[in-house]
Amino acid sequence: MGRIGALALTLALAGGCKRGELSGAEQSAPLVLEVAPGDLDAEVFVDGNYVGQVKVLQEPETGPLLLAPGIHRIEVRKPGRFPVQVTATVKKDRNGPVVIRAELLEDPS
């Protein structure tokens, strides 16, 4: 299974987030992650489930990740850096993206 196939499987198991087109009354919001260029390899978790690296979620072929309505915990992690955790609420009538600015500060230990 290729990288994109594995990512799609992970997303299917994650629940509450998906890729692809919006269906019917469900209004999903795209997740937009802003990180420093050196942190594009950071790992992203949504509601405790691994969804991929920042750079993969920014590629037109694989991104963006769509968040279903509800409350989501988004975490961005990279070894040697403090993780960033953000709680985001997606409302059913939301029209815009969920933008997360993740400043991954260096862990001095």
Side-chain angles (χ1 to χ4, degrees):
M1 181 181 304
R3 185 174 91 190
I4 292 175
L7 182 58
L9 176 61
T10 301
L11 292 171
L13 297 173
C17 54
K18 66 178 185 169
R19 291 189 190 278
E21 296 182 21
L22 302 178
S23 60
E26 184 178 2
Q27 297 294 314
S28 299
L31 175 63
V32 176
L33 297 165
E34 296 179 355
V35 299
D39 293 329
L40 290 173
D41 60 342
E43 298 177 327
V44 181
F45 295 79
V46 175
D47 300 328
N49 298 297
Y50 176 74
V51 295
Q53 291 184 328
V54 173
K55 64 183 169 189
V56 173
L57 297 174
Q58 292 178 344
E59 293 176 357
E61 301 84 30
T62 57
L65 184 69
L66 299 176
L67 299 176
I71 299 172
H72 300 282
R73 189 185 75 224
I74 296 135
E75 184 172 3
V76 182
R77 302 182 201 164
K78 183 175 177 177
R81 308 234 184 233
F82 288 109
V84 172
Q85 297 179 0
V86 176
T87 300
T89 301
V90 177
K91 297 182 181 180
K92 290 183 181 185
D93 59 352
R94 182 181 185 100
N95 291 331
V98 173
V99 180
I100 306 293
R101 290 176 182 86
E103 183 178 359
L104 297 163
L105 300 175
E106 193 169 340
D107 184 355
S109 59

